[in-house]
Amino acid sequence: MGTHPLLKVENVKKYFPVGRAVFGRSKQYVKAVDDVSFTIDVGGSLGIVGESGSGKTTLAKVILRLLEPTSGKVYLDGVDLFSLNNKELRKLRPKMQMIFQDPMASLNPRRKIMHIIGQVFKTHTSIGDVEIRERVVDLLEKVGLTPPELFLDRYPHELSGGQRQRVCIARAIALNPKLLIADEPVSALDVSVRGQIVKLLLEIYEKHIDEIAYIVISHDIALIKSLCKDTLVMYLGRVVEKGEVRRIIEEPLHPYSQMLISSIPVPDPEIARNRKRIPIGGEIPSLINPPKGCYFHPRCPYVMDRCREKTPSLINVDDRLVSCYLYSE
Amino acid sequence: MNDSRILEISDLKTYYYTSRGIVRAVDGITLDLKKGESLAIVGESGSGKSTLAFSIMRLLPDNARIVDGSIWLYPEKIDLVRLSNDEMRKVRGRRIGMVFQDPMTFLNPVMKVGDQIAEAIMYHHGCTQKVARKRAVELLERLRIPDASNVALRYPHQLSGGMKQRVIIAIAISCNPEILIADEPTTALDVTVQAEVLELLRGFIHELGMSLILVTHDLGIVAEICDKVAIMYAGKIVEIAETYSLYKSPKHPYTIGLLKAVPTVHKSSSEVGGIKGNPPDLVNPPAGCRFNPRCPYVFEKCLGEEPPLIRVNNDRAVACWLMM
Ligand SMILES: Nc1ncnc2c1ncn2[C@@H]1O[C@H](COP(=O)(O)OP(=O)(O)OP(=O)(O)O)[C@@H](O)[C@H]1O
Ligand SMILES: Nc1ncnc2c1ncn2[C@@H]1O[C@H](COP(=O)(O)OP(=O)(O)OP(=O)(O)O)[C@@H](O)[C@H]1O
Ligand SMILES: [Mg+2]
Ligand SMILES: [Mg+2]
């Protein structure tokens, strides 16, 4: 397997303007994504975990240019995505797909499932109606909406939450994308369907391992572990840790990662109600006026003086990258 | 804890009428809920959990109908199924609040989220807009939304998935309902925020005696917060039990499979695989026990006759011929 980077993300930032400060004259910004860089090789997969509001969805949308970046660069297979014009971008669209977090909002409520998925083929290929129907049936089967005939003529609102999510997955994989970003792909699904979808995503991935790269966004690190080898851990728009998922679960280094791992619910009421957790709480972080220094310091049990002064940079510690002064001299 | 009953559902049937036929999404459900109790409704995608929740709220789409059964609200013992729309409007929000599975269907896309919460507060408490807005921001803070006063001034599309979900929770709890129905309330939340939101709900249960119906597929959350669990399969309850004993010794083959299928950080979902087969089509459910095509213990009787939900001991009822 040739390892060249399929996706290269360099210093990407996305700031949203959100009104003016009460007193100053300056505009206020939500620094949703604040200087994120990583690469994924062909056949590679990367998870992104992080707190709600830490910028995961924004990062994904900027990478796919569904949102315009504030700064930074993204290369897909060598192509500088931020320099493409709309026409070029449109041509590339089927090759970079996203499974959206909010399935209902990404499905046209006035179209039937057949039309919603079929549209992808109509827009980007020249195959005829009969074959389109076959392909759609095929896809529905693949994502476990069986028998497909029962679903073709339904509207999105006639499906349960989990069924809708599977329609979104079917649509995203319709044209064998090179880059597939799945944003919380199974959080609306129960465990048994979840198992099927995980298997499905892995199958697609293995079948296209020579050409595809994968990003899975989730707040559920167990899910990331079953889909990806490596993961980023994000906190307030920044990467605080990067490494093998398995290792991060076994031995989280960054204090935020530690908090994340220790708050995972355990499916056993006895353990769940008696175990010791790293206390969460403390100050609620702000993205508009983030704290000086390490963004996590107001909640960190190990905070030291310099954490309040200067942001720690991402450094190599053993087998991963961490931005925390506990691990640097 | 107070043992008085607050809600009693008996033999409820809610069907959808479609061109393919009748979808029997809720097909004879009987349940009760005590004051201050938290009950989990767990089941596969498409098993009718949201339909049950919407039936209690009387917020069903046009093609749905409650065809049979009652939903008694205590202490007056009024049947919600037979309430006029006007009367139901007074129950909704004030006495029974709901957190919806899909936040965007219930948030107004062109109204600032703070105003949406304030509106609910004003409607139910009759306070001024200024007071209501202040309370809205406080609620957002309690739900650990960063920059709450700024977020209150934003529109839904400017919020992350987890933030929208918490706005819906804020709207539901702003009126201190006696019963809160939460349909997958934390699916978009990371575990740390989830733990905090669950803690907040727990607080409402203990301090205000609120009762909770939690619809979820996450058995981890159930273990954290619920007293009782009802397992739904294809429109029916197949097992209902006290949380501890359900986890310790599940009785219905479906429950057993479900508990085995729980992914943890140590065994991932691809390894656990889940229950074989697909959930049945609710237009033509299998004869006999609806789980029979997927059941590893199936025998003759299961194919012909539907097992009733039978109380097997004090805190458990099971619908399975193996138990009888
Ligand atoms: N259009 C927008 N205008 C202003 N702020 C925005 C906009 N979109 C997102 N934000 C803010 O950017 C931050 C990051 O949001 P994002 O949706 O990327 O988070 P996330 O990590 O995906 O969270 P979740 O896990 O809850 O989905 C949030 O504070 C959000 O309010
Ligand atoms: N408006 C509708 N018209 C026709 N059928 C519907 C409608 N809404 C839901 N259904 C069907 O009713 C069944 C139950 O749906 P419901 O939304 O109650 O499931 P659920 O248990 O909440 O699933 P999930 O976990 O995926 O949210 C499903 O088979 C679904 O396809
Ligand atoms: Mg998101
Ligand atoms: Mg549902």
Side-chain angles (χ1 to χ4, degrees), chain B residues 164-240:
Chain B
K164 279 186 278 210
Q165 204 166 34
R166 280 175 282 171
V167 168
I168 293 279
I169 295 176
I171 291 174
I173 63 180
S174 67
C175 314
N176 303 338
E178 292 161 41
I179 302 172
L180 178 70
I181 303 176
D183 193 354
E184 307 280 9
T186 58
T187 46
L189 302 178
D190 60 280
V191 285
T192 60
V193 176
Q194 171 177 295
E196 283 160 341
V197 168
L198 293 179
E199 196 55 51
L200 184 80
L201 291 181
R202 216 177 278 146
F204 270 74
I205 294 170
H206 290 143
E207 291 155 33
L208 307 171
M210 184 181 82
S211 309
L212 175 71
I213 298 181
L214 180 75
V215 174
T216 181
H217 55 255
D218 188 335
L219 286 158
I221 298 176
V222 173
E224 298 269 346
I225 176 166
C226 293
D227 306 317
K228 217 162 74 178
V229 190
I231 307 284
M232 261 183 97
Y233 186 78
K236 299 194 173 272
I237 290 178
V238 294
E239 179 160 9
I240 181 162

Coordinates of all heavy atoms in Angstrom, one line a residue, chain B residues 164-240:
Chain B
K164 N -28.0 22.5 20.6 CA -29.4 22.5 20.2 C -30.2 21.5 21.1 O -31.3 21.8 21.5 CB -29.6 22.1 18.7 CG -29.4 23.2 17.8 CD -29.7 22.8 16.3 CE -28.5 22.1 15.7 NZ -28.4 22.2 14.3
Q165 N -29.6 20.4 21.3 CA -30.3 19.4 22.1 C -30.5 19.9 23.5 O -31.6 19.7 24.1 CB -29.4 18.1 22.2 CG -30.3 16.9 22.5 CD -29.5 15.6 22.2 OE1 -28.3 15.6 22.4 NE2 -30.2 14.6 21.8
R166 N -29.5 20.7 24.0 CA -29.7 21.2 25.4 C -30.7 22.4 25.4 O -31.4 22.6 26.4 CB -28.4 21.7 25.9 CG -27.6 20.5 26.5 CD -26.2 20.9 26.9 NE -25.3 21.0 25.8 CZ -24.1 21.5 25.9 NH1 -23.6 21.9 27.0 NH2 -23.3 21.6 24.8
V167 N -30.9 23.1 24.3 CA -31.9 24.1 24.2 C -33.3 23.5 24.4 O -34.2 24.0 25.1 CB -31.8 24.9 22.9 CG1 -33.0 25.8 22.7 CG2 -30.5 25.8 22.9
I168 N -33.5 22.4 23.7 CA -34.7 21.6 23.8 C -35.0 21.2 25.2 O -36.1 21.2 25.8 CB -34.7 20.4 22.8 CG1 -34.7 20.9 21.4 CG2 -35.9 19.5 23.1 CD1 -36.0 21.2 20.9
I169 N -33.9 20.7 25.9 CA -34.0 20.3 27.3 C -34.4 21.5 28.1 O -35.3 21.4 29.0 CB -32.7 19.6 27.8 CG1 -32.4 18.3 27.0 CG2 -32.8 19.4 29.3 CD1 -31.1 17.7 27.4
A170 N -33.8 22.6 27.9 CA -34.1 23.8 28.6 C -35.6 24.2 28.5 O -36.2 24.5 29.5 CB -33.2 25.0 28.2
I171 N -36.1 24.1 27.3 CA -37.5 24.5 27.0 C -38.4 23.5 27.8 O -39.3 23.9 28.5 CB -37.8 24.4 25.5 CG1 -37.1 25.6 24.8 CG2 -39.4 24.5 25.3 CD1 -37.3 25.6 23.3
A172 N -38.0 22.2 27.8 CA -38.9 21.3 28.5 C -38.9 21.4 30.0 O -39.9 21.3 30.6 CB -38.5 19.8 28.1
I173 N -37.7 21.7 30.6 CA -37.7 21.7 32.0 C -38.0 23.1 32.6 O -38.2 23.3 33.7 CB -36.4 21.2 32.6 CG1 -35.2 22.1 32.2 CG2 -36.1 19.8 32.3 CD1 -33.9 21.6 32.8
S174 N -38.1 24.1 31.7 CA -38.3 25.5 32.1 C -39.6 25.6 32.9 O -39.8 26.5 33.7 CB -38.3 26.5 31.0 OG -39.4 26.2 30.1
C175 N -40.6 24.7 32.6 CA -41.9 24.8 33.1 C -42.1 23.9 34.3 O -43.2 23.7 34.8 CB -42.9 24.5 32.1 SG -42.6 25.3 30.5
N176 N -41.0 23.3 34.8 CA -41.1 22.4 35.9 C -42.2 21.4 35.7 O -43.1 21.3 36.6 CB -41.3 23.1 37.3 CG -40.2 24.1 37.6 OD1 -39.1 24.0 37.0 ND2 -40.5 25.0 38.5
P177 N -42.2 20.6 34.7 CA -43.3 19.7 34.5 C -43.3 18.6 35.5 O -42.3 18.3 36.1 CB -42.9 19.1 33.1 CG -41.5 19.2 33.0 CD -41.1 20.4 33.7
E178 N -44.5 18.0 35.7 CA -44.5 16.9 36.7 C -43.9 15.6 36.1 O -43.4 14.8 36.7 CB -46.0 16.6 37.0 CG -46.6 17.7 37.9 CD -48.2 17.7 37.8 OE1 -48.7 16.6 37.8 OE2 -48.8 18.7 37.7
I179 N -44.1 15.5 34.7 CA -43.6 14.4 34.0 C -42.7 14.9 32.9 O -43.2 15.8 32.1 CB -44.7 13.5 33.4 CG1 -45.6 13.0 34.5 CG2 -44.1 12.3 32.6 CD1 -46.9 12.3 33.9
L180 N -41.5 14.4 32.8 CA -40.7 14.8 31.6 C -40.5 13.5 30.7 O -40.1 12.5 31.2 CB -39.3 15.3 32.1 CG -38.4 15.7 30.9 CD1 -38.9 17.0 30.2 CD2 -37.0 15.9 31.5
I181 N -40.9 13.7 29.5 CA -40.6 12.6 28.5 C -39.4 13.0 27.7 O -39.4 14.1 27.0 CB -41.8 12.4 27.6 CG1 -43.0 12.1 28.4 CG2 -41.5 11.3 26.6 CD1 -44.3 12.0 27.6
A182 N -38.3 12.3 27.8 CA -37.1 12.7 27.1 C -36.8 11.6 26.1 O -36.5 10.5 26.4 CB -36.0 12.9 28.1
D183 N -36.9 12.0 24.8 CA -36.7 11.0 23.7 C -35.2 11.2 23.2 O -34.9 12.1 22.6 CB -37.7 11.3 22.5 CG -37.7 10.2 21.5 OD1 -36.9 9.3 21.6 OD2 -38.6 10.3 20.6
E184 N -34.4 10.2 23.6 CA -33.0 10.2 23.2 C -32.4 11.6 23.6 O -31.8 12.3 22.7 CB -32.8 9.9 21.7 CG -33.4 8.7 21.3 CD -32.6 7.4 21.6 OE1 -31.7 7.5 22.3 OE2 -33.0 6.3 21.1
P185 N -32.5 12.1 24.8 CA -32.1 13.5 25.1 C -30.6 13.7 25.0 O -30.2 14.9 24.9 CB -32.6 13.7 26.5 CG -32.5 12.3 27.1 CD -32.9 11.4 26.0
T186 N -29.8 12.7 25.0 CA -28.3 13.0 25.1 C -27.5 12.4 24.0 O -26.3 12.4 24.0 CB -27.8 12.5 26.5 OG1 -28.0 11.1 26.6 CG2 -28.4 13.2 27.6
T187 N -28.2 12.0 22.9 CA -27.4 11.3 21.8 C -26.4 12.3 21.2 O -25.4 11.8 20.7 CB -28.4 10.9 20.7 OG1 -29.2 12.0 20.4 CG2 -29.1 9.7 21.0
A188 N -26.6 13.6 21.2 CA -25.7 14.5 20.6 C -24.6 15.0 21.6 O -23.9 15.9 21.3 CB -26.4 15.6 19.9
L189 N -24.7 14.5 22.8 CA -23.8 15.1 23.8 C -22.6 14.1 24.1 O -22.8 12.9 24.1 CB -24.6 15.3 25.1 CG -25.8 16.2 25.0 CD1 -26.5 16.3 26.4 CD2 -25.4 17.6 24.5
D190 N -21.5 14.7 24.3 CA -20.3 13.9 24.7 C -20.5 13.5 26.1 O -21.3 14.0 26.9 CB -19.0 14.8 24.6 CG -19.1 15.9 25.5 OD1 -19.8 16.9 25.1 OD2 -18.6 15.9 26.6
V191 N -19.8 12.5 26.5 CA -20.0 11.8 27.8 C -19.9 12.8 29.0 O -20.6 12.6 30.0 CB -19.1 10.6 28.0 CG1 -19.6 9.5 27.2 CG2 -17.7 10.9 27.8
T192 N -19.0 13.8 28.9 CA -18.9 14.6 30.1 C -20.1 15.5 30.2 O -20.6 15.7 31.3 CB -17.6 15.5 30.0 OG1 -17.6 16.3 28.9 CG2 -16.3 14.6 30.0
V193 N -20.5 16.1 29.1 CA -21.7 17.0 29.2 C -22.9 16.1 29.5 O -23.8 16.5 30.3 CB -21.9 17.7 27.9 CG1 -23.2 18.5 27.9 CG2 -20.8 18.7 27.6
Q194 N -23.0 14.9 28.9 CA -24.1 14.0 29.2 C -24.2 13.7 30.7 O -25.3 13.8 31.2 CB -23.8 12.7 28.4 CG -24.8 11.6 28.8 CD -24.6 10.4 27.9 OE1 -24.8 10.4 26.7 NE2 -24.2 9.3 28.5
A195 N -23.1 13.4 31.3 CA -23.1 13.1 32.7 C -23.7 14.3 33.5 O -24.4 14.2 34.4 CB -21.7 12.8 33.2
E196 N -23.3 15.5 33.0 CA -23.8 16.7 33.7 C -25.3 16.9 33.5 O -26.1 17.3 34.4 CB -23.0 17.9 33.3 CG -21.7 18.0 34.0 CD -20.7 18.9 33.3 OE1 -20.9 19.2 32.1 OE2 -19.7 19.2 33.9
V197 N -25.8 16.7 32.3 CA -27.2 16.8 32.0 C -28.0 15.8 32.8 O -29.0 16.1 33.3 CB -27.4 16.7 30.5 CG1 -28.9 16.6 30.2 CG2 -26.9 18.0 29.8
L198 N -27.5 14.6 32.8 CA -28.2 13.5 33.6 C -28.2 13.9 35.1 O -29.2 13.7 35.7 CB -27.5 12.2 33.4 CG -27.5 11.5 32.0 CD1 -26.8 10.2 32.0 CD2 -29.0 11.3 31.6
E199 N -27.1 14.5 35.5 CA -27.1 14.9 36.9 C -28.2 16.0 37.2 O -28.9 15.9 38.2 CB -25.7 15.5 37.2 CG -25.3 15.7 38.7 CD -25.4 14.3 39.4 OE1 -24.9 13.3 39.0 OE2 -26.1 14.3 40.5
L200 N -28.3 16.9 36.2 CA -29.3 17.9 36.4 C -30.7 17.3 36.4 O -31.6 17.7 37.2 CB -29.2 18.9 35.2 CG -30.1 20.1 35.2 CD1 -29.5 21.1 36.2 CD2 -30.3 20.7 33.8
L201 N -31.0 16.3 35.5 CA -32.3 15.7 35.5 C -32.5 14.9 36.8 O -33.6 15.0 37.3 CB -32.4 14.7 34.3 CG -32.4 15.3 32.9 CD1 -32.5 14.2 31.8 CD2 -33.6 16.2 32.7
R202 N -31.5 14.3 37.3 CA -31.6 13.6 38.5 C -32.0 14.5 39.6 O -32.8 14.2 40.5 CB -30.2 12.9 38.8 CG -30.3 11.6 39.5 CD -29.0 11.0 39.7 NE -28.5 10.3 38.6 CZ -27.2 10.3 38.2 NH1 -26.3 10.9 38.9 NH2 -26.8 9.6 37.1
G203 N -31.4 15.7 39.6 CA -31.7 16.8 40.6 C -33.2 17.2 40.5 O -33.9 17.3 41.5
F204 N -33.7 17.3 39.3 CA -35.2 17.6 39.1 C -36.0 16.5 39.7 O -37.1 16.8 40.3 CB -35.5 17.8 37.7 CG -35.3 19.2 37.2 CD1 -34.1 19.8 37.0 CD2 -36.4 20.1 37.0 CE1 -33.9 21.1 36.7 CE2 -36.3 21.4 36.6 CZ -35.0 21.9 36.4
I205 N -35.6 15.3 39.5 CA -36.4 14.1 40.0 C -36.4 14.2 41.5 O -37.4 14.0 42.2 CB -35.8 12.8 39.5 CG1 -35.9 12.7 38.0 CG2 -36.4 11.6 40.2 CD1 -35.2 11.6 37.3
H206 N -35.2 14.4 42.1 CA -35.2 14.3 43.6 C -35.7 15.6 44.3 O -36.5 15.5 45.2 CB -33.7 14.1 44.0 CG -33.3 12.7 43.7 ND1 -32.0 12.3 43.3 CD2 -34.0 11.5 43.7 CE1 -32.0 11.0 43.1 NE2 -33.1 10.5 43.3
E207 N -35.4 16.8 43.7 CA -35.8 18.0 44.4 C -37.3 18.3 44.2 O -38.0 18.7 45.0 CB -35.0 19.2 44.0 CG -33.6 19.2 44.4 CD -32.7 20.0 43.5 OE1 -33.2 21.0 42.9 OE2 -31.5 19.6 43.4
L208 N -37.7 18.1 42.9 CA -39.1 18.5 42.6 C -40.1 17.3 42.4 O -41.2 17.5 42.1 CB -39.1 19.3 41.3 CG -38.1 20.5 41.2 CD1 -38.0 21.0 39.8 CD2 -38.5 21.5 42.2
G209 N -39.5 16.1 42.6 CA -40.4 15.0 42.5 C -40.9 14.7 41.1 O -41.9 14.1 40.9
M210 N -40.1 15.2 40.1 CA -40.5 15.0 38.8 C -40.4 13.5 38.4 O -39.5 12.8 38.9 CB -39.5 15.9 37.9 CG -39.8 15.8 36.4 SD -38.6 16.8 35.5 CE -37.3 15.6 35.3
S211 N -41.3 13.1 37.5 CA -41.1 11.7 37.0 C -40.5 11.8 35.6 O -40.8 12.8 34.9 CB -42.5 11.1 36.9 OG -43.2 11.2 38.2
L212 N -39.8 10.8 35.3 CA -39.1 10.8 34.0 C -39.4 9.6 33.2 O -39.4 8.4 33.7 CB -37.6 10.9 34.2 CG -36.7 10.8 33.0 CD1 -36.7 12.1 32.2 CD2 -35.2 10.6 33.5
I213 N -39.7 9.8 31.9 CA -39.8 8.7 31.0 C -38.6 8.9 30.0 O -38.6 9.9 29.2 CB -41.1 8.6 30.2 CG1 -42.3 8.4 31.2 CG2 -41.1 7.5 29.1 CD1 -43.6 8.2 30.5
L214 N -37.7 8.1 30.0 CA -36.5 8.3 29.2 C -36.5 7.3 28.1 O -36.4 6.1 28.3 CB -35.2 8.1 30.1 CG -33.9 8.3 29.4 CD1 -33.6 9.8 29.2 CD2 -32.8 7.7 30.3
V215 N -36.6 7.8 26.9 CA -36.5 6.9 25.7 C -35.1 6.9 25.2 O -34.5 7.9 25.0 CB -37.4 7.5 24.6 CG1 -37.3 6.6 23.3 CG2 -38.9 7.5 25.0
T216 N -34.6 5.7 25.1 CA -33.2 5.6 24.8 C -32.8 4.2 24.2 O -33.5 3.3 24.4 CB -32.2 5.9 26.0 OG1 -30.9 5.9 25.5 CG2 -32.4 4.9 27.1
H217 N -31.7 4.2 23.5 CA -31.2 2.9 23.2 C -29.9 2.6 23.9 O -29.2 1.6 23.7 CB -31.0 2.7 21.7 CG -30.1 3.8 21.1 ND1 -30.6 4.9 20.4 CD2 -28.8 4.0 21.2 CE1 -29.6 5.7 20.0 NE2 -28.5 5.2 20.5
D218 N -29.5 3.6 24.8 CA -28.2 3.5 25.4 C -28.4 2.9 26.8 O -28.8 3.5 27.8 CB -27.6 4.9 25.5 CG -26.2 4.9 26.0 OD1 -25.9 3.9 26.8 OD2 -25.5 5.8 25.7
L219 N -28.0 1.6 26.9 CA -28.2 0.9 28.2 C -27.3 1.5 29.3 O -27.5 1.3 30.5 CB -28.1 -0.6 28.0 CG -29.3 -1.2 27.3 CD1 -29.0 -2.5 26.7 CD2 -30.5 -1.3 28.3
G220 N -26.2 2.2 28.8 CA -25.3 2.8 29.8 C -26.0 3.9 30.6 O -25.9 4.0 31.8
I221 N -26.8 4.7 29.8 CA -27.5 5.8 30.5 C -28.6 5.3 31.4 O -28.8 5.8 32.5 CB -28.1 6.7 29.4 CG1 -27.1 7.3 28.5 CG2 -29.0 7.8 30.1 CD1 -27.6 8.1 27.4
V222 N -29.2 4.3 31.0 CA -30.3 3.7 31.8 C -29.7 3.2 33.1 O -30.3 3.5 34.2 CB -30.9 2.5 31.0 CG1 -31.9 1.7 31.9 CG2 -31.6 2.9 29.8
A223 N -28.6 2.6 33.1 CA -27.9 2.1 34.3 C -27.6 3.3 35.2 O -27.7 3.2 36.4 CB -26.7 1.4 34.0
E224 N -27.3 4.5 34.7 CA -27.0 5.6 35.5 C -28.2 6.2 36.2 O -28.1 6.7 37.3 CB -26.4 6.7 34.6 CG -25.1 6.4 33.9 CD -23.9 6.7 34.7 OE1 -24.0 7.5 35.7 OE2 -22.8 6.3 34.3
I225 N -29.3 6.2 35.6 CA -30.4 7.1 36.1 C -31.7 6.5 36.3 O -32.5 7.0 37.0 CB -30.4 8.4 35.2 CG1 -31.5 9.3 35.5 CG2 -30.6 8.0 33.7 CD1 -31.4 10.7 34.9
C226 N -32.0 5.3 35.7 CA -33.4 4.9 35.7 C -33.7 3.8 36.8 O -32.9 3.0 37.1 CB -33.9 4.3 34.4 SG -33.9 5.7 33.2
D227 N -34.9 3.9 37.4 CA -35.4 2.9 38.4 C -35.9 1.7 37.7 O -35.7 0.6 38.3 CB -36.5 3.5 39.2 CG -36.2 4.8 39.8 OD1 -35.0 5.0 40.3 OD2 -37.0 5.7 39.8
K228 N -36.5 1.9 36.6 CA -37.3 0.8 36.0 C -37.0 0.8 34.5 O -36.8 1.9 33.9 CB -38.8 1.0 36.2 CG -39.6 -0.2 36.5 CD -40.9 0.1 37.2 CE -41.9 0.8 36.2 NZ -43.2 1.1 36.8
V229 N -37.1 -0.3 33.8 CA -36.8 -0.4 32.4 C -37.9 -1.2 31.7 O -38.3 -2.3 32.1 CB -35.5 -1.1 32.0 CG1 -35.2 -0.9 30.6 CG2 -34.4 -0.6 32.9
A230 N -38.5 -0.6 30.6 CA -39.4 -1.3 29.8 C -38.7 -1.6 28.5 O -38.2 -0.7 27.8 CB -40.7 -0.5 29.6
I231 N -38.7 -2.8 28.1 CA -38.0 -3.2 26.8 C -39.1 -3.3 25.7 O -40.0 -4.1 25.9 CB -37.3 -4.5 26.9 CG1 -36.3 -4.5 28.1 CG2 -36.6 -4.9 25.6 CD1 -35.0 -3.7 27.9
M232 N -39.0 -2.6 24.7 CA -40.0 -2.6 23.6 C -39.5 -3.4 22.4 O -38.3 -3.3 22.0 CB -40.3 -1.2 23.1 CG -41.6 -0.7 23.7 SD -42.0 0.9 23.1 CE -43.2 0.5 21.8
Y233 N -40.4 -4.2 21.8 CA -40.0 -4.9 20.6 C -41.2 -4.8 19.7 O -42.3 -5.3 20.1 CB -39.6 -6.3 20.8 CG -39.0 -7.0 19.6 CD1 -37.8 -6.7 19.1 CD2 -39.8 -7.8 18.8 CE1 -37.3 -7.2 18.0 CE2 -39.4 -8.3 17.6 CZ -38.1 -8.0 17.2 OH -37.6 -8.6 16.0
A234 N -41.0 -4.3 18.5 CA -42.1 -4.2 17.5 C -43.4 -3.8 18.0 O -44.5 -4.5 17.8 CB -42.2 -5.6 16.8
G235 N -43.5 -2.7 18.7 CA -44.7 -2.1 19.2 C -45.3 -2.7 20.5 O -46.3 -2.3 20.9
K236 N -44.5 -3.6 21.1 CA -45.0 -4.2 22.3 C -43.9 -4.1 23.4 O -42.7 -4.1 23.1 CB -45.4 -5.6 22.1 CG -46.5 -5.8 21.1 CD -47.1 -7.2 21.2 CE -48.3 -7.3 20.3 NZ -49.5 -7.0 20.9
I237 N -44.4 -4.2 24.6 CA -43.4 -4.4 25.7 C -43.2 -5.9 25.9 O -44.1 -6.6 26.1 CB -43.9 -3.7 27.0 CG1 -43.9 -2.2 26.8 CG2 -43.0 -4.1 28.2 CD1 -44.4 -1.5 28.0
V238 N -41.9 -6.3 25.9 CA -41.6 -7.7 26.0 C -41.1 -8.0 27.4 O -41.2 -9.1 27.9 CB -40.6 -8.2 25.0 CG1 -41.2 -8.2 23.6 CG2 -39.3 -7.5 25.0
E239 N -40.6 -7.0 28.1 CA -40.1 -7.2 29.5 C -40.1 -5.9 30.2 O -39.7 -4.8 29.6 CB -38.7 -7.8 29.5 CG -38.2 -8.1 30.9 CD -37.1 -9.1 30.9 OE1 -36.6 -9.5 29.9 OE2 -36.7 -9.5 32.0
I240 N -40.5 -5.9 31.4 CA -40.4 -4.7 32.2 C -39.9 -5.1 33.6 O -40.4 -6.0 34.2 CB -41.7 -3.9 32.2 CG1 -41.6 -2.6 33.0 CG2 -42.9 -4.7 32.7 CD1 -42.7 -1.6 32.7

